[in-house]
Amino acid sequence: MIRYLTHNQIDTKRWDDCIAQSPDGLVYAWSWYLDVVHPNWEALVEDDYETVMPLTGGKKYGINYLFQPFFTQKLGIFGKEEVCEEKIEQFLEVIPEKFKFAEFRINKSYETYKTHRTYTTYQCENHRNIELSLTPDYSVLYANYNSNTKRNLAKAQKQGLTIVEDADPSVIIELFRKNRGKEIKHWGDKEYNRLLNLVEVAKSHDACLVFGVQNTDNQIIAGAFFMISHNKIVFLFSGSDEANKENHGLTFLLDHVIKRYSGTQNILDFEGSDNDGLARFYKGFGGEEKYYQELKFNKLNIISNFALKIFKRNKV
């Protein structure tokens, strides 16, 4: 039986035991991760936490809705054994009726864009991800870099760049805010503080790596946060100085991670690959395309539909 549980009804120990055993497990699904990115998250739980689904919802103007929180690429349904399509359907069918609008992404992965299943009563939208198996030796992985990536890496290596282990995450966030972050108007202090808190909490669970790239003047010109769980190294967030982009700091950093974890059973998940430019950059390291789905429904009446833009602009 699948039960709906409010936040204070969830047994986080049993929850995390399920996530630990899940073949489809993701770092985003740990209870401590959800506690940071979406306090008071709720859940659907089958039997004795054999299969679980986090529910990340909000409420505005008396209307309950589901959405994808910041810093979680996808969530979905997680089980102690592999979750089949029919099980996903069962969970989707019992999402409480109180939720009248939803846009959320699920963790079922597909090899191609066209193999997705269409779930009853849901609109389905495809999303692209780039992943790189780190099982081969570094020499093999490097050989699969494209010519542009190899060229940029050679330029970076000539600049005397060095990797800073356990760099200050606030410096990397500030790099992002002063550069690319200027274009992201819907992120403010609240979101950046949440990210900083997430990094600190993840580090306490040995689930986060923070790397910086330093130039010969001892300045951090780029950096990134990587979340580690279930044999996946997730490239969660990065910042770089536009004034130093010709130094190719992020190329240097990603090559360092690939070299460090080559020959292991890990997968480097580049995340955020819907953008064509980013996808090309990531595929330059030999990454391959994978796909997952965003599911949507809208049960609002005509009068209530005016709230859709407000929901999307003010998600918390």
Side-chain angles (χ1 to χ4, degrees):
M1 183 180 71
I2 301 173
R3 296 168 291 146
Y4 164 62
L5 301 180
T6 60
H7 184 71
N8 60 6
Q9 294 174 320
I10 298 168
D11 184 326
T12 55
K13 186 177 184 301
R14 289 180 177 176
W15 178 279
D16 286 339
D17 182 57
C18 176
I19 300 304
Q21 297 182 53
S22 175
D24 301 311
L26 297 169
V27 68
Y28 320 114
W30 293 111
S31 65
W32 54 263
Y33 197 105
L34 289 164
D35 284 344
V36 176
V37 298
H38 192 74
N40 298 314
W41 55 281
E42 300 178 320
L44 296 177
V45 173
E46 183 180 41
D47 300 330
D48 189 19
Y49 290 79
E50 300 303 312
T51 314
V52 301
M53 178 183 183
L55 298 175
T56 52
K59 186 174 183 179
K60 285 189 180 295
Y61 304 103
I63 300 172
N64 291 284
Y65 60 101
L66 295 172
F67 67 95
Q68 198 68 37
F70 287 126
F71 316 121
T72 63
Q73 183 192 58
K74 51 195 171 186
L75 287 167
I77 296 90
F78 304 89
K80 293 180 180 178
E81 298 180 357
E82 187 169 353
V83 177
C84 64
E85 300 276 5
E86 289 70 28
K87 181 66 68 178
I88 295 173
E89 189 83 63
Q90 290 172 20
F91 268 77
L92 296 178
E93 287 176 353
V94 297
I95 288 176
E97 282 295 319
K98 73 173 185 176
F99 295 111
K100 301 303 182 184
F101 169 77
E103 291 182 349
F104 60 91
R105 300 171 181 181
I106 62 173
N107 58 323
K108 185 69 176 178
S109 181
Y110 298 87
E111 296 296 322
T112 70
Y113 184 86
K114 297 181 179 179
T115 56
H116 291 71
R117 173 170 177 165
T118 300
Y119 295 99
T120 308
T121 72
Y122 286 81
Q123 292 178 284
C124 302
E125 181 178 320
N126 298 314
H127 288 276
R128 175 177 56 198
N129 203 36
I130 307 297
E131 298 182 0
L132 174 66
S133 170
L134 299 176
T135 303
D137 291 337
Y138 175 72
S139 60
V140 176
L141 293 168
Y142 175 80
N144 287 327
Y145 290 7
N146 68 20
S147 57
N148 190 55
T149 300
K150 290 178 179 177
R151 184 166 53 249
N152 290 339
L153 179 59
K155 290 179 182 177
Q157 291 168 338
K158 290 178 181 178
Q159 300 302 316
L161 303 181
T162 55
I163 295 293
V164 178
E165 303 272 350
D166 198 23
D168 184 346
S170 64
V171 171
I172 296 168
I173 290 174
E174 192 61 22
L175 264 180
F176 179 87
R177 294 189 74 165
K178 290 181 176 178
N179 292 275
R180 184 168 171 264
K182 290 180 178 179
E183 303 170 10
I184 304 179
K185 305 300 183 185
H186 59 284
W187 281 24
D189 289 343
K190 179 178 170 183
E191 286 71 34
Y192 291 115
N193 288 336
R194 183 178 297 171
L195 175 58
L196 185 59
N197 184 32
L198 176 61
V199 169
E200 296 301 334
V201 171
K203 286 171 69 175
S204 74
H205 288 273
D206 295 322
C208 183
L209 294 170
V210 180
F211 293 116
V213 178
Q214 189 170 265
N215 64 13
T216 54
D217 294 324
N218 297 323
Q219 295 176 317
I220 298 291
I221 62 167
F225 309 150
F226 296 85
M227 295 291 171
I228 302 179
S229 184
H230 296 83
N231 291 325
K232 273 199 170 184
I233 301 171
V234 179
F235 184 29
L236 185 77
F237 179 87
S238 65
S240 60
D241 183 3
E242 288 295 314
N244 281 277
K245 66 180 180 180
E246 293 304 315
N247 287 345
H248 301 286
L250 285 179
T251 298
F252 185 76
L253 190 157
L254 286 168
D255 175 73
H256 171 79
V257 172
I258 290 169
K259 183 183 296 183
R260 176 169 173 170
Y261 288 95
S262 62
T264 71
Q265 295 303 308
N266 290 294
I267 291 172
L268 177 56
D269 181 346
F270 289 98
E271 215 195 46
S273 306
D274 277 334
N275 178 282
D276 289 338
L278 284 177
R280 281 193 300 272
F281 176 60
Y282 299 149
K283 289 171 73 174
F285 292 91
E288 298 180 343
E289 292 186 354
K290 304 284 184 179
Y291 293 90
Y292 61 98
Q293 284 180 298
E294 181 172 7
L295 305 185
K296 304 179 182 182
F297 66 73
N298 182 357
K299 301 176 183 178
L300 297 172
N301 58 37
I302 296 175
I303 296 175
S304 297
N305 263 297
F306 81 94
L308 284 177
K309 291 184 179 179
I310 298 174
F311 287 164
K312 295 179 180 181
R313 188 168 61 244
N314 298 311
K315 292 173 185 176
V316 294

